[in-house]
């Protein structure tokens, strides 16, 4: 498969999430969050099956299914847990702890999944990790179907009215609009980082910092370091929440993350400094996830929660698609991309300061 075809598959995945995923992910409010989570497992399972085929169009189908499933992943599960937490009468502080522990556990599982995938690939071939994922998804669907209760947004309203209500909520409540912008800009820059950290850490043949030839970077060790940094961030979130609300400390976190992503631009070729900047950025990511979930639980209305979250995935996926389409010369792309990430973060910081000017009280 050519590099151009691989690029098209990447664009198709994010484009599918932007177009189709927004609609399917929004079904959760009307037809049930638990049902939507089960659909997520089915769609991603089908995407895993397509990896057994070398046909470009079959792989394209898999990317389209995966894009739709991604939108469900980042909306239906959180919407379900926020509703259940409120319905069962738990206090709000325990929700902060839940989001923090979820981010911590997600990082641990990511490291374990990476090791399991490598073992499967070594023993059974490069498609085996997808079969392992399929097995995990089947178990997940069974557990959800047997143990979760169903909950909805406004299930009596037509789907078009759900979208109308979501858009009206965004237009009339500046706090929802700002939270959505923060979500889109942060995650857009984060996905760009995922695509670009390898070329950013790969040194040129000779640099002013080293005369040694280019060497392969230890991807596995670096990824493990990123996951540890996210775990540190999730733990810091709990400590910060004991003293301040997320609306306050996230302004500082977003500013620090913006400065961290300037490392490959300012210190181009210096791997140690760039890696340090990336680790700081991942700590900020670990703080960001539970913070944003906590703020969304306070400000996003329950009746259209999943729909609102998916609407703001449209600009997020558009950012990533534009970044992918702008790939040209490797070095030029790397430097300009990180400048754009830094600019996105400056916009996020301004949005958060705007949110902070309002009287923020839990709903």
């Amino acid at each position: 498969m050519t590099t151009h075809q691989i690029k098209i598959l990447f664009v198709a995945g994010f484009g599918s999430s932007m177009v189709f995923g927004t609609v399917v992910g929004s079904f959760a409010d009307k037809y049930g969050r638990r049902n939507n989570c089960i659909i997520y497992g089915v769609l991603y399972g089908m995407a895993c099956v397509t990896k057994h085929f070398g046909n470009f169009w079959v792989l394209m189908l898999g990317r389209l299914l995966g894009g739709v499933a991604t939108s469900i992943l980042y909306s239906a599960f959180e919407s379900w847990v926020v509703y259940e937490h409120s319905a069962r009468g738990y206090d709000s502080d325990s929700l902060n702890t839940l989001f923090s522990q979820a981010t911590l556990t997600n990082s641990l599982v990511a490291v374990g999944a990476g090791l399991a995938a490598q073992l499967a690939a070594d023993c059974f071939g490069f498609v085996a990790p997808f079969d392992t994922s399929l097995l995990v998804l089947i178990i997940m669907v069974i557990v959800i179907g047997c143990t979760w209760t169903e909950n909805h947004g406004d299930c009596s309203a037509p789907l078009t009215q759900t979208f109308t209500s979501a858009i009206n909520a965004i237009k009339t409540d500046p706090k929802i609009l700002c939270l959505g912008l923060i979500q889109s800009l942060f995650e857009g820059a984060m996905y760009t980082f995922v695509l670009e950290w390898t070329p950013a850490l790969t040194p040129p043949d000779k640099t002013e910092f080293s005369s040694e030839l280019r060497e392969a970077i230890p991807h596995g060790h670096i990824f493990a370091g990123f996951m540890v940094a996210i775990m540190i961030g999730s733990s810091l979130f709990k400590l910060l929440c004991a003293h301040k609300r997320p609306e306050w400390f996230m302004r500082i976190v977003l500013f620090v993350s913006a400065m961290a992503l300037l490392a490959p631009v300012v210190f181009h070729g210096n791997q140690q400094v760039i890696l340090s900047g990336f680790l700081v950025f991942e700590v900020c990511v670990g703080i960001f996830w539970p913070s944003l979930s906590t703020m969304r639980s306070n400000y996003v209305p329950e009746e259209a929660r999943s729909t609102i979250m998916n609407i703001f995935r449209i600009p997020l996926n558009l950012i990533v698609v534009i970044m992918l389409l702008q790939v040209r010369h490797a070095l030029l792309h790397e430097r300009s991309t990180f400048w754009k990430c830094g600019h996105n973060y400056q916009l996020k910081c301004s949005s958060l300061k705007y949110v902070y000017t309002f009287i923020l009280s839990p709903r």
Side-chain angles (χ1 to χ4, degrees):
M1 185 171 294
T2 66
T3 302
H4 178 67
Q5 288 177 316
I6 295 173
K7 174 182 170 183
I8 291 175
L9 290 175
F10 268 104
V11 172
F14 288 103
S16 171
S17 183
M18 178 176 63
V19 179
F20 305 112
T22 303
V23 177
V24 176
S26 301
F27 287 172
D29 289 324
K30 180 173 178 60
Y31 300 110
R33 280 85 182 252
R34 187 192 70 165
N35 290 336
N36 223 28
C37 293
I38 292 175
I39 292 174
Y40 156 79
V42 173
L43 292 178
Y44 250 135
M46 293 170 63
C48 290
V49 172
T50 63
K51 302 302 184 291
H52 283 274
F53 300 89
N55 183 276
F56 173 79
W57 294 108
V58 175
L59 293 174
M60 173 67 75
L61 175 62
R63 289 294 297 167
L64 295 176
L65 293 173
V68 175
T70 299
S71 290
I72 299 175
L73 174 65
Y74 285 104
S75 58
F77 287 87
E78 181 181 319
S79 298
W80 182 89
V81 78
V82 170
Y83 180 95
E84 290 297 318
H85 184 276
S86 175
R88 300 183 189 194
Y90 299 131
D91 62 276
S92 59
D93 289 339
S94 64
L95 187 61
N96 296 347
T97 302
L98 175 63
F99 287 137
S100 175
Q101 293 298 328
T103 303
L104 177 66
T105 305
N106 184 62
S107 299
L108 289 172
V109 171
V111 174
L115 296 174
Q118 186 62 59
L119 179 62
D122 291 341
C123 295
F124 304 106
F126 66 92
V127 181
F130 296 99
D131 295 332
T132 306
S133 298
L134 178 59
L135 177 61
V136 173
L137 289 167
I138 292 172
I139 296 172
M140 182 205 74
V141 168
I142 294 173
V143 170
I144 291 176
C146 295
T147 63
W148 285 24
T149 58
E150 185 61 279
N151 63 60
H152 306 78
D154 187 357
C155 58
S156 62
L159 190 60
T160 53
Q161 184 177 329
T162 302
F163 273 97
T164 302
S165 299
I167 293 173
N168 287 336
I170 295 170
K171 289 168 60 178
T172 57
D173 192 339
K175 288 174 276 192
I176 297 176
L177 174 61
C178 290
L179 281 175
L181 290 175
I182 294 165
Q183 170 189 328
S184 298
L185 292 169
F186 191 101
E187 293 187 34
M190 186 185 68
Y191 278 121
T192 305
F193 167 80
V194 170
L195 296 170
E196 293 296 321
W197 72 263
T198 296
L201 285 175
T202 302
D205 292 341
K206 291 186 178 182
T207 71
E208 61 187 14
F209 304 101
S210 172
S211 60
E212 298 176 359
L213 294 178
R214 177 192 298 252
E215 297 179 357
I217 60 176
H219 291 83
H221 293 163
I222 294 174
F223 176 77
F226 288 164
M227 293 302 102
V228 171
I230 291 176
M231 288 188 280
I232 293 173
S234 68
S235 299
L236 286 175
F237 167 77
K238 289 195 295 184
L239 296 175
L240 292 170
C241 280
H243 303 283
K244 297 289 184 180
R245 296 178 63 183
E247 291 87 346
W248 187 89
F249 62 74
M250 276 305 295
R251 294 179 298 168
I252 301 173
V253 171
L254 290 176
F255 179 78
V256 171
S257 61
M259 295 301 100
L261 276 192
L262 290 179
V265 179
V266 179
F267 302 99
H268 179 68
N270 190 330
Q271 288 176 288
Q272 290 75 23
V273 175
I274 294 174
L275 178 58
S276 298
F278 287 173
L279 290 173
V280 171
F281 168 72
E282 291 287 11
V283 171
C284 295
V285 171
I287 301 174
F288 167 80
W289 284 121
S291 298
L292 189 69
S293 296
T294 299
M295 290 188 288
R296 280 194 299 233
S297 70
N298 291 332
Y299 303 117
V300 177
E302 183 62 45
E303 60 270 14
R305 185 181 300 277
S306 293
T307 304
I308 290 173
M309 292 171 65
N310 276 289
I311 286 175
F312 284 110
R313 290 193 64 80
I314 296 175
L316 153 65
N317 287 291
L318 183 60
I319 289 172
V320 180
V321 168
I322 291 173
M323 292 294 183
L324 286 169
L325 292 176
Q326 287 183 341
V327 175
R328 288 184 176 87
H329 188 270
L331 178 60
L332 174 63
H333 171 61
E334 170 196 328
R335 294 174 67 92
S336 64
T337 296
F338 277 103
W339 271 117
K340 291 171 184 175
C341 287
H343 179 60
N344 284 344
Y345 277 118
Q346 299 301 334
L347 292 175
K348 275 202 308 294
C349 291
S350 300
S351 299
L352 257 181
K353 291 177 183 177
Y354 181 54
V355 173
Y356 192 67
T357 61
F358 290 88
I359 300 174
L360 302 175
S361 57
R363 291 179 177 175

